[in-house]
Amino acid sequence: MQLPPMYRSLVALDRAQHRNLRVRQDQINLNQAKSLNSLFLNVIEFADACQNFPIVFVRAGQGQDGKPAPLMPLAVLGLQNGENLFIKADGSWDAEYAPAYLRRYPFAMARLDNGEQMVVCMDEQWEGFSQTEGQALFDDKGEPTEFTQSVLKFLESYETEVERTRLVCEALDEAGILEPMRFEASMEGGAKIEVDGFLAINDEKFAKLEDAKVLDFHRRGLLQVVEYHRLSMRNMRRLAAKRLQK
């Protein structure tokens, strides 16, 4: 099984096998994300994320029936491969907003039985798991604790938003308003950094949308999604400035 970025392992949470497992919240750090220069975003996060990171779109996976691969929104965290400008030396987060992808770690939902069943999984190699200290995952009767129930609620909400994000991306793609973009920045000593391989809204194409399509976007809340994305692109230069401060 291909592991999602940041995860070193992924095993199903089991009330028998993990009966005594606890979570040490004082050990939470994000060192596993140090080499990730982008992270998946759900569209519900755009309003907060656009104030901190550029939000771009990429094509992920394989297209079917001759169609392009599906779109996926990303928060850009660095200007080069292996660079995350928002992880401090101690593994803490250096921004006002942290993407939900990060906040769910070390847990995640995964599909079993050909995608028919969703189960709670965890990265069992995470250093914060303990048999003696921290928040218990199961009580003396083997039932999920309040902590575990809150994790499950968060993961279920996350997956619901993943599906909504997929539908929003389909609508943006069908509208034909995205195109490949490139960002260039000058560094100290005259060196230049070029960032490409992503898609962004083309303002001219967006302005030429038919009135009926604009009204449809408005009613579906997509105009806000587009605007948050456009506002976020100003953060590309802020990323370059942040890189110079490192």
Side-chain angles (χ1 to χ4, degrees), residues 148-200:
T148 304
Q149 292 174 16
S150 69
V151 169
L152 176 59
K153 184 177 180 180
F154 181 84
L155 293 176
E156 289 176 339
S157 175
Y158 181 88
E159 293 301 323
T160 297
E161 291 301 326
V162 167
E163 177 60 19
R164 177 172 174 251
T165 298
R166 183 187 68 79
L167 296 174
V168 168
C169 286
E170 282 185 358
L172 295 177
D173 208 7
E174 291 172 358
I177 55 177
L178 290 156
E179 70 173 15
M181 295 285 187
R182 171 183 290 184
F183 171 77
E184 295 182 357
S186 296
M187 297 289 102
E188 261 185 317
K192 288 188 176 181
I193 287 184
E194 295 184 358
V195 182
D196 54 18
F198 64 91
L199 301 172

Side-chain angles (χ1 to χ4, degrees), residues 29-97:
N29 66 65
L30 301 170
N31 284 326
Q32 286 302 112
K34 276 188 174 181
S35 63
L36 301 179
N37 69 345
S38 62
L39 279 177
F40 174 79
L41 274 182
N42 278 317
V43 293
I44 197 173
E45 302 180 78
F46 278 26
D48 292 314
C50 73
Q51 301 177 52
N52 293 266
F53 330 104
I55 301 171
V56 302
F57 297 87
V58 298
R59 296 201 180 275
Q62 299 292 325
Q64 298 180 352
D65 301 324
K67 296 181 180 180
L71 289 175
M72 178 173 67
L74 298 176
V76 180
L77 308 176
L79 298 177
Q80 293 183 324
N81 288 334
E83 174 184 78
N84 188 330
L85 298 172
F86 294 92
I87 303 290
K88 296 181 181 179
D90 63 358
S92 62
W93 186 243
D94 188 23
E96 292 181 3
Y97 182 77

